[in-house]
Amino acid sequence: MHQLQPYMPKFTADYIYTPKGSPLPNAVVVTDNEGKILSINRHNDTDGDVQRLKGAIVPGFINAHCHLELSHLHQQIPQGEGLIAFVKNVLALRNIDEEAQLQAAETADKLMYQNGIVAVGDISNTALTTQIKAQSNIKYHTFVEMLGFDDGKAETIFANALRLQSNFSGQTSLVPHASYTVSKTLFALLNTYCQTNANLLTIHNQESPQENLLYQNKTGSFLDLYHYLGINIDSFEPQNKTSLATILPLLPTQQKKLLVHNTFTNIADIALANKISDEIYWCFCPNANLYIENQLPPIPQFLDNNFNLTLGTDSLASNHTLCMLTEMRTLLKHFTNLTFAQVLQWATLNGAQFLGFDDNLGSITVGKKPGLNLITNFSNGSITPQSEVVKLI
Ligand SMILES: [Zn+2]
């Protein structure tokens, strides 16, 4: 009698990027029907039907920084006008009718899934996306974000953030928005909270040169933004330090931290961050940086230090799509010394490690269920302008 074999998808391609060590040529990845990796074999050691694909097989992508709730702002904000104009536009446009916001967020969640993203570190300022994230095929960590430059309002802002956090299922934490929107008192409340709560941290960092001007000598166009928003900053004292150098000592020491953007971060900032904490992760969102400031982070400065580097898409308010391949393509185009294998690790394993999802995601490893993507039109160990991502599992 014929024994019924369980269905075990088997894939081979020109290269398998695990991504640890060198890519494996013509290896076969065998999974169970849920996508758990059972084995990685040499081709001639594998029985049965193997799907032979052209290109490179890579793990599911980890998008370390997104704002799903801003998806309805796709193509609403002009490009290249700088961060202050961008922030003003987001504030003016973000609260359009809720149904449109929900629909856009739902579509964006599906878009990320189709683009091979399996996990996202997602910023929330509202409860809009709670259901979408709870029902998604993507694994989310929700960063409940706090903003408030007025010390007098810090207690209320913190209490509201705790309440908002309780709406989200899955992994969550409380985070400060950016150096220029969080008061010392709010940082202090977060510090106290982090002493007794595991609370993964992230903060927008040095996305614009104006942040450093504000902190170095209280100049630059953030002063216009505060005026526009009716925020009195008379008591704010610049310390002749960059924004990152000023706020690093205010951040809780116990937690892993993801600094996002780093477009205007200098070598001294990097060294200081490294000295203060060995749990610093850096996240680049190159297409958002080009969209808003038309500038890219000084990537080569981050390579010497062997830092934990990750990639994110930011939101559709400042990006044309939500696609990690597109982010990798931008970096490889502008920084020609980078290799595909390098940026792939940023887009997969490093992000999974930061989010604490690496027990199951981030690499093609026996026992994990990382998702599998095919990168097409792959040539000489890298992507080409024609490369696309096809989600296999
Ligand atoms: Zn952001």
Side-chain angles (χ1 to χ4, degrees):
M1 215 171 91
H2 212 73
Q3 180 118 29
L4 202 63
Q5 292 288 323
Y7 174 60
M8 291 190 295
K10 297 168 190 164
F11 302 97
T12 185
D14 303 325
Y15 291 100
I16 311 280
Y17 282 78
T18 58
K20 277 277 183 196
S22 306
L24 308 170
N26 296 307
V28 178
V29 183
V30 182
T31 76
D32 69 10
N33 57 7
E34 309 251 278
K36 185 166 145 188
I37 310 286
L38 299 177
S39 63
I40 304 162
N41 307 332
R42 281 184 300 156
H43 195 199
N44 51 12
D45 291 349
T46 307
D47 301 330
D49 295 341
V50 177
Q51 283 196 55
R52 167 151 268 292
L53 303 160
K54 277 211 78 56
I57 294 177
V58 303
F61 296 126
I62 314 294
N63 180 0
H65 183 77
C66 188
H67 305 242
L68 194 61
E69 68 187 17
L70 297 182
S71 300
H72 62 291
L73 299 182
H74 190 207
Q75 296 179 331
Q76 298 296 303
I77 300 180
Q79 296 183 54
E81 297 195 341
L83 183 64
I84 313 298
F86 180 82
V87 169
K88 283 184 183 172
N89 271 311
V90 170
L91 293 173
L93 298 169
R94 68 173 297 158
N95 293 320
I96 60 156
D97 81 289
E98 195 171 308
E99 194 48 43
Q101 292 180 49
L102 275 170
Q103 266 181 22
E106 208 170 321
T107 305
D109 170 72
K110 294 204 167 77
L111 173 70
M112 285 198 277
Y113 186 69
Q114 278 162 17
N115 286 339
I117 293 169
V118 294
V120 178
D122 190 60
I123 306 276
S124 287
N125 299 92
T126 71
L128 183 88
T129 56
T130 48
Q131 284 309 311
I132 295 169
K133 288 196 248 191
Q135 289 162 7
S136 175
N137 290 317
I138 292 175
K139 192 174 168 86
Y140 281 93
H141 177 107
T142 297
F143 296 110
V144 174
E145 189 175 73
M146 301 184 288
L147 296 93
F149 212 47
D150 181 345
D151 280 296
K153 293 184 179 153
E155 299 265 2
T156 308
I157 291 164
F158 199 84
N160 287 344
L162 274 174
R163 231 186 334 268
L164 175 58
Q165 184 182 27
S166 67
N167 289 291
F168 289 95
S169 51
Q171 238 178 247
T172 62
S173 55
L174 299 183
V175 302
H177 167 252
S179 65
Y180 56 88
T181 50
V182 177
S183 67
K184 274 190 176 166
T185 310
L186 193 49
F187 273 123
L189 289 170
L190 184 62
N191 242 306
T192 307
Y193 177 80
C194 286
Q195 280 166 21
T196 49
N197 293 278
N199 188 66
L200 205 56
L201 287 172
T202 188
I203 185 165
H204 293 86
N205 178 51
Q206 293 169 306
E207 189 175 357
S208 135
Q210 307 300 327
E211 280 176 63
N212 287 333
L213 290 177
L214 175 71
Y215 275 87
Q216 279 161 332
N217 47 30
K218 205 175 177 178
T219 59
S221 44
F222 270 110
L223 301 183
D224 304 335
L225 182 67
Y226 296 132
H227 183 73
Y228 170 82
L229 296 173
I231 297 171
N232 184 327
I233 59 154
D234 286 351
S235 61
F236 173 77
E237 300 271 1
Q239 295 177 26
N240 201 21
K241 291 180 189 166
T242 64
S243 60
L244 183 60
T246 310
I247 61 144
L248 269 174
L250 305 178
L251 289 171
T253 51
Q254 306 90 330
Q255 322 285 342
K256 279 194 279 188
K257 298 164 199 62
L258 183 71
L259 304 179
V260 179
H261 292 303
N262 316 303
T263 327
F264 298 89
T265 302
N266 65 34
I267 287 178
D269 290 327
I270 298 170
L272 183 67
N274 198 21
K275 199 170 134 197
I276 285 183
S277 170
D278 56 5
E279 296 224 83
I280 296 273
Y281 285 68
W282 306 86
C283 178
F284 303 118
C285 305
N287 289 326
N289 300 147
L290 291 176
Y291 192 106
I292 297 174
E293 292 279 347
N294 198 22
Q295 173 97 24
L296 286 169
I299 300 284
Q301 289 183 18
F302 292 88
L303 304 177
D304 295 343
N305 295 285
N306 197 21
F307 271 15
N308 303 312
L309 306 180
T310 70
L311 285 186
T313 58
D314 217 341
S315 77
L316 280 175
S318 58
N319 207 334
H320 303 288
T321 186
L322 301 176
C323 172
M324 299 298 283
L325 177 64
T326 311
E327 302 299 327
M328 289 194 283
R329 177 177 280 132
T330 298
L331 287 181
L332 291 169
K333 182 180 155 199
H334 287 88
F335 301 99
T336 50
N337 288 335
L338 290 177
T339 65
F340 174 75
Q342 250 174 322
V343 293
L344 177 67
Q345 188 171 334
W346 307 356
T348 55
L349 187 58
N350 292 3
Q353 284 171 342
F354 172 70
L355 294 170
F357 293 161
D358 55 314
D359 54 340
N360 215 21
L361 303 178
S363 63
I364 299 176
T365 303
V366 171
K368 285 193 187 185
K369 204 178 142 189
L372 295 178
N373 295 327
L374 177 72
I375 308 292
T376 65
N377 294 296
F378 197 79
S379 175
N380 293 325
S382 195
I383 55 173
T384 63
Q386 290 75 37
S387 293
E388 288 177 8
V389 53
V390 177
K391 187 175 175 64
L392 300 175
I393 295 182

